Amino acid sequence: MRSLDEFATAKLEELERGSLRRALVDTTRVTGIWVLREGRRLLSFCCNDYLNLTHHPAVKEAAIEALRRYGVGAGASRLVSGNHPLLGELEARLARLKQTEAACVFGSGYLANLGIIPALIGPGDLVLIDELAHACLWAGTRLARAAVVPFRHADARHVDALLTELRQRHPRALIATDGVFSMDGDIAPLRAFAAMAQRHDAWLMSDDAHGLGVVGGGRGSNFVEPTKANIPLQMGTLSKALGAYGGYLCASAAVVELIRNRARTVIYSTGLPPAMAAAALAALEVIESEPDYAALPLAKAKAFARIAGLPEPASPIVPVLVGEPEAALKASRLLQEEGFLVVAIRPPTVPMGTARLRLTFTAQHPDREVERLAELVRKRIVALAPAITTEAQ
Ligand SMILES: Cc1ncc(COP(=O)(O)O)c(C=O)c1O
C-alpha cells in the first residue's frame, strides 16, 4: 500500500531528524560478557544478564535436558494443553523466595504486566503510577481502562496527596512502581508506599525485574531493608538476572488463582516453554546457594561509580546522563572505539533532555576493565557532558 509506506517513511524521517531512529545491529553474545559486533570483540555493559547466567553451565544444561525431554515450545496455553509440572515447581520456588503464598508465571515480564493489571483493575478504578515506571507497567495500566494518574518519581508524599484527593471516588485503587528503576537504577521507597497503600486501602504492585538476583541478598528490592514492606503484588521477570525468559507474579493464593482465571496473557497465550522453566529453576539454585556471587554486580557498579565520580548506585544499573540524544550516541561511539559496548538510551525510553548511557554491571566483568571504563567515563564523558550536550544542540 502506497499510503502505508509513505506514512512509515515520513515517520522514520522524523525520528532520524531528532537522532531518535533506532537500528538493530547484528551482535553475537559469545560469553556472559563478551560480544562480537561488526567483526570486533567488545566488552558489553548493556546486558541485563547481571549474573551471566545465560552462559552458566548448570543453567544451560538444565535447559538442554528439558528441551531434549519435553521439546521446544509449550504447544498451547497452560489451560488448554495441560500445565507442565516444571511450571508448578518454578512457581513454588519463586513464591518461597519472595515469601508469598503463591506465584504465577507468564510468557514474559511484559506479558505479565499486560495480564495482571487489567485482571484486577477496571473502568472506574484508579491507578497511581510512578512517572518513571517501565513502559510495560504503563501499558498494563492503559489496558485496564481505569483513571491513570502519574505521581512524581519515588515521591510517597505525592502518592499520599493524590490518594487523599482521589481515593473516595473509585472502588479500587492500585499503586504501581518499579522496585529497581530500569533506567536510573534507584530503588523505590517501598515501605513508604506500603504505608500509603495501607492508609488509603490501595493495592501496591512492584515490578522487580531488575531487583531479583542482585539486591536484597538476591531476593530483590523488598529485601534490601531489614524490615520488608507489605507488597501484595510482586511482579518480575526471568529474563534478566536469571538469564532465561518469562515473567511472574508472586502474591496470595487467592490473587494467583484469580490471575490464572482472568489474566488474558495467561489464558490466551502459549505457556512458558519447559526449557525456560528448567533454566530459571537452575538459576534460582545458583542465586540461593551462592550469595557472594549474587553480590558481585552491585559491588562492581559501586567501584565503577567511585572512580567515575558518580553518585553511589543502589543497584547494578548506573546511568550517565548527557542530555541530548546526539550526545548520548556520540558518547556510546567513543566507548565502542575503546572496546566497550554501552548503548545510548534516548527518549521516549527516558524523558526528553535526559538521554544517557546506561551501564549495567555483571558478576564476571574483570575489575581492570571496570576501572579502565570508569577512567574513560570520568575524563571523556562526565567531565565533558555539558560540552557534548551543547555541541549537539
Ligand atoms: C522494569 C521492567 N519490567 C518489565 C520488563 C519486561 O520484562 P521482559 O523482558 O521479561 O518482557 C523489563 C524489561 O525489559 C523491565 O525493565
Side-chain angles (χ1 to χ4, degrees), residues 49-93:
D49 184 14
Y50 300 111
L51 299 172
N52 312 112
L53 296 184
T54 55
H55 285 68
H56 189 288
V59 177
K60 288 203 291 190
E61 203 42 57
I64 291 165
E65 175 58 18
L67 198 125
R68 281 213 181 94
R69 291 175 68 170
Y70 308 121
V72 181
S77 157
R78 303 167 69 179
L79 291 158
V80 173
S81 60
N83 194 41
H84 197 286
L86 279 173
L87 301 193
E89 201 184 316
L90 175 59
E91 288 171 341
R93 184 132 195 187

Coordinates of all heavy atoms in Angstrom, one line a residue, residues 49-93:
D49 N 22.0 -9.3 32.0 CA 22.4 -10.7 32.4 C 23.3 -10.5 33.6 O 24.5 -10.9 33.5 CB 23.0 -11.3 31.2 CG 23.4 -12.8 31.4 OD1 23.0 -13.4 32.4 OD2 24.2 -13.3 30.6
Y50 N 22.8 -9.9 34.7 CA 23.7 -9.4 35.8 C 24.6 -10.5 36.4 O 25.7 -10.2 36.8 CB 22.8 -8.9 36.9 CG 21.9 -7.7 36.5 CD1 20.6 -7.8 36.4 CD2 22.5 -6.5 36.2 CE1 19.8 -6.8 36.0 CE2 21.7 -5.4 35.7 CZ 20.4 -5.6 35.6 OH 19.6 -4.5 35.2
L51 N 24.1 -11.8 36.3 CA 24.9 -12.8 36.9 C 25.5 -13.7 35.9 O 26.1 -14.8 36.2 CB 24.1 -13.6 37.9 CG 23.5 -12.8 39.1 CD1 22.5 -13.6 39.9 CD2 24.7 -12.3 40.0
N52 N 25.4 -13.3 34.6 CA 26.0 -14.0 33.5 C 25.4 -15.5 33.4 O 26.1 -16.4 33.0 CB 27.5 -14.0 33.5 CG 28.0 -12.6 33.7 OD1 28.6 -12.3 34.8 ND2 27.8 -11.7 32.8
L53 N 24.2 -15.6 33.9 CA 23.7 -17.0 34.0 C 23.2 -17.5 32.6 O 22.9 -18.7 32.5 CB 22.5 -17.1 35.0 CG 23.0 -16.8 36.5 CD1 21.8 -17.0 37.4 CD2 24.1 -17.7 36.9
T54 N 23.1 -16.6 31.6 CA 22.7 -17.0 30.3 C 23.7 -18.1 29.8 O 23.4 -18.9 29.0 CB 22.7 -15.9 29.3 OG1 24.0 -15.2 29.3 CG2 21.6 -14.9 29.5
H55 N 25.0 -18.0 30.3 CA 26.0 -18.8 29.8 C 26.5 -19.8 31.0 O 27.6 -20.4 30.8 CB 27.2 -18.0 29.3 CG 26.9 -17.4 27.9 ND1 25.9 -16.4 27.7 CD2 27.3 -17.7 26.7 CE1 25.9 -16.2 26.4 NE2 26.7 -16.9 25.8
H56 N 25.8 -19.9 32.1 CA 26.3 -20.7 33.2 C 26.1 -22.2 32.8 O 25.0 -22.6 32.3 CB 25.4 -20.4 34.4 CG 25.9 -21.0 35.7 ND1 25.8 -22.3 35.9 CD2 26.6 -20.5 36.7 CE1 26.4 -22.6 37.1 NE2 26.8 -21.5 37.6
P57 N 27.1 -23.0 33.0 CA 27.0 -24.4 32.5 C 25.8 -25.1 33.1 O 25.1 -25.8 32.4 CB 28.3 -25.0 33.1 CG 29.2 -23.9 33.3 CD 28.4 -22.7 33.6
A58 N 25.5 -24.9 34.4 CA 24.3 -25.7 35.0 C 23.0 -25.2 34.5 O 22.1 -26.0 34.3 CB 24.4 -25.5 36.5
V59 N 22.9 -23.9 34.2 CA 21.7 -23.3 33.7 C 21.4 -23.8 32.2 O 20.3 -24.2 31.9 CB 21.7 -21.8 33.8 CG1 20.5 -21.1 33.1 CG2 21.9 -21.3 35.2
K60 N 22.5 -23.8 31.4 CA 22.4 -24.2 30.1 C 22.0 -25.7 30.0 O 21.2 -26.2 29.3 CB 23.7 -24.0 29.3 CG 24.0 -22.5 29.0 CD 24.9 -22.3 27.8 CE 26.3 -22.7 28.1 NZ 27.2 -22.3 27.0
E61 N 22.7 -26.5 30.9 CA 22.5 -27.9 30.9 C 21.0 -28.3 31.3 O 20.4 -29.1 30.7 CB 23.5 -28.6 31.9 CG 23.8 -30.0 31.7 CD 24.0 -30.4 30.2 OE1 24.9 -29.8 29.6 OE2 23.2 -31.3 29.7
A62 N 20.5 -27.5 32.2 CA 19.1 -27.7 32.7 C 18.2 -27.5 31.5 O 17.2 -28.2 31.3 CB 18.8 -26.8 33.8
A63 N 18.4 -26.4 30.7 CA 17.6 -26.1 29.6 C 17.7 -27.1 28.5 O 16.7 -27.6 27.9 CB 18.0 -24.7 29.0
I64 N 18.9 -27.6 28.3 CA 19.2 -28.6 27.2 C 18.4 -29.9 27.5 O 17.8 -30.5 26.7 CB 20.7 -28.8 27.0 CG1 21.3 -27.6 26.4 CG2 20.9 -30.0 26.1 CD1 22.8 -27.5 26.4
E65 N 18.6 -30.3 28.8 CA 18.0 -31.5 29.2 C 16.4 -31.5 29.1 O 15.8 -32.4 28.6 CB 18.4 -31.8 30.7 CG 17.8 -33.0 31.4 CD 18.0 -34.3 30.7 OE1 19.0 -34.4 29.9 OE2 17.3 -35.3 31.0
A66 N 15.9 -30.3 29.5 CA 14.4 -30.2 29.4 C 14.0 -30.2 28.0 O 12.9 -30.7 27.6 CB 13.9 -28.9 30.1
L67 N 14.8 -29.5 27.2 CA 14.4 -29.4 25.7 C 14.4 -30.8 25.1 O 13.5 -31.1 24.3 CB 15.5 -28.5 25.1 CG 15.1 -27.9 23.7 CD1 15.3 -26.4 23.8 CD2 16.0 -28.5 22.7
R68 N 15.4 -31.6 25.5 CA 15.5 -33.0 24.9 C 14.3 -33.8 25.3 O 13.7 -34.5 24.5 CB 16.8 -33.7 25.4 CG 18.0 -33.3 24.7 CD 19.0 -34.4 24.6 NE 20.2 -33.9 23.9 CZ 21.2 -33.4 24.5 NH1 21.3 -33.4 25.8 NH2 22.3 -32.9 23.9
R69 N 13.9 -33.6 26.6 CA 12.8 -34.5 27.1 C 11.5 -34.0 26.7 O 10.6 -34.8 26.4 CB 12.9 -34.5 28.6 CG 14.1 -35.3 29.1 CD 14.3 -35.3 30.6 NE 13.2 -36.0 31.2 CZ 13.3 -36.3 32.5 NH1 14.2 -35.9 33.3 NH2 12.3 -37.0 33.1
Y70 N 11.3 -32.7 26.7 CA 9.9 -32.1 26.6 C 9.7 -31.4 25.3 O 8.6 -30.9 25.1 CB 9.6 -31.2 27.7 CG 9.8 -31.9 29.1 CD1 10.7 -31.3 30.0 CD2 9.2 -33.1 29.4 CE1 11.0 -31.9 31.2 CE2 9.5 -33.7 30.7 CZ 10.4 -33.1 31.6 OH 10.6 -33.7 32.7
G71 N 10.7 -31.2 24.4 CA 10.5 -30.4 23.2 C 10.8 -29.0 23.4 O 11.1 -28.5 24.4
V72 N 10.5 -28.2 22.3 CA 10.9 -26.8 22.3 C 9.8 -25.9 22.9 O 9.9 -25.3 23.9 CB 11.3 -26.3 20.9 CG1 11.7 -24.9 20.9 CG2 12.4 -27.2 20.3
G73 N 8.6 -25.9 22.2 CA 7.6 -25.0 22.6 C 6.6 -25.7 23.5 O 6.6 -26.9 23.7
A74 N 5.7 -24.9 24.2 CA 4.8 -25.4 25.1 C 3.5 -26.0 24.4 O 2.7 -26.7 24.9 CB 4.3 -24.4 26.1
G75 N 3.3 -25.6 23.1 CA 2.3 -26.1 22.3 C 0.9 -25.4 22.4 O 0.2 -25.3 21.4
A76 N 0.6 -24.9 23.5 CA -0.7 -24.1 23.7 C -0.7 -23.5 25.1 O 0.3 -23.6 25.8 CB -1.9 -25.0 23.6
S77 N -1.8 -22.8 25.4 CA -1.9 -22.2 26.7 C -1.9 -23.3 27.8 O -2.3 -24.4 27.5 CB -3.3 -21.4 26.7 OG -3.7 -21.3 28.0
R78 N -1.4 -22.9 28.9 CA -1.4 -23.9 30.0 C -2.7 -24.5 30.4 O -2.8 -25.6 30.8 CB -0.9 -23.2 31.3 CG 0.4 -22.6 31.2 CD 0.7 -21.7 32.4 NE 0.9 -22.4 33.6 CZ 1.2 -21.9 34.7 NH1 1.3 -20.5 34.8 NH2 1.4 -22.6 35.8
L79 N -3.8 -23.7 30.1 CA -5.1 -24.2 30.5 C -5.7 -25.1 29.4 O -6.6 -25.8 29.6 CB -6.0 -23.0 30.6 CG -5.7 -22.1 31.9 CD1 -6.3 -20.7 31.7 CD2 -6.3 -22.8 33.1
V80 N -5.0 -25.1 28.2 CA -5.5 -25.9 27.1 C -4.7 -27.2 27.0 O -5.3 -28.3 27.0 CB -5.5 -25.1 25.8 CG1 -5.8 -26.0 24.6 CG2 -6.4 -23.9 25.9
S81 N -3.4 -27.1 26.9 CA -2.6 -28.3 26.6 C -2.2 -29.0 27.9 O -1.5 -30.0 27.9 CB -1.4 -28.0 25.8 OG -0.6 -27.1 26.4
G82 N -2.5 -28.4 29.0 CA -2.1 -29.0 30.3 C -0.9 -28.3 30.8 O -0.1 -27.7 30.1
N83 N -0.8 -28.3 32.2 CA 0.2 -27.5 32.8 C 1.5 -28.3 33.0 O 1.4 -29.4 33.7 CB -0.3 -27.1 34.2 CG 0.5 -26.0 34.8 OD1 0.9 -25.1 34.1 ND2 0.7 -26.1 36.1
H84 N 2.6 -27.9 32.4 CA 3.8 -28.7 32.6 C 4.2 -28.6 34.1 O 4.3 -27.5 34.7 CB 4.9 -28.1 31.7 CG 6.0 -29.1 31.6 ND1 6.9 -29.4 32.6 CD2 6.3 -30.0 30.6 CE1 7.7 -30.4 32.2 NE2 7.4 -30.7 31.0
P85 N 4.6 -29.8 34.7 CA 4.9 -29.8 36.1 C 6.1 -28.8 36.5 O 6.2 -28.3 37.6 CB 5.3 -31.2 36.4 CG 4.7 -32.0 35.3 CD 4.5 -31.1 34.1
L86 N 7.0 -28.6 35.5 CA 8.1 -27.7 35.8 C 7.6 -26.3 36.1 O 8.2 -25.5 36.9 CB 9.1 -27.6 34.6 CG 10.1 -28.7 34.5 CD1 10.8 -28.6 33.1 CD2 11.1 -28.7 35.6
L87 N 6.5 -25.9 35.5 CA 5.9 -24.5 35.8 C 5.5 -24.4 37.2 O 5.7 -23.4 37.9 CB 4.8 -24.2 34.8 CG 5.1 -24.2 33.3 CD1 4.0 -23.5 32.6 CD2 6.4 -23.5 33.0
G88 N 4.8 -25.5 37.7 CA 4.4 -25.5 39.1 C 5.6 -25.5 40.1 O 5.6 -24.8 41.1
E89 N 6.6 -26.2 39.7 CA 7.8 -26.3 40.5 C 8.5 -24.9 40.6 O 8.9 -24.4 41.7 CB 8.8 -27.3 39.9 CG 9.8 -27.8 40.9 CD 10.8 -28.7 40.1 OE1 10.4 -29.6 39.3 OE2 12.0 -28.5 40.4
L90 N 8.5 -24.2 39.4 CA 9.1 -22.9 39.4 C 8.3 -21.9 40.2 O 8.8 -21.1 40.9 CB 9.2 -22.4 37.9 CG 9.7 -21.0 37.7 CD1 11.1 -20.8 38.2 CD2 9.7 -20.7 36.2
E91 N 7.0 -22.0 40.1 CA 6.1 -21.1 40.8 C 6.3 -21.3 42.3 O 6.3 -20.3 43.1 CB 4.6 -21.3 40.4 CG 4.4 -20.8 39.0 CD 3.0 -21.1 38.4 OE1 2.4 -22.1 38.9 OE2 2.6 -20.5 37.4
A92 N 6.4 -22.5 42.8 CA 6.5 -22.8 44.2 C 7.9 -22.2 44.7 O 8.0 -21.6 45.7 CB 6.5 -24.3 44.5
R93 N 8.9 -22.3 43.8 CA 10.2 -21.8 44.2 C 10.2 -20.3 44.3 O 10.8 -19.7 45.2 CB 11.2 -22.3 43.2 CG 12.6 -21.9 43.6 CD 13.6 -23.1 43.5 NE 14.8 -22.8 44.2 CZ 15.8 -23.5 44.2 NH1 15.8 -24.7 43.6 NH2 16.9 -23.1 44.9

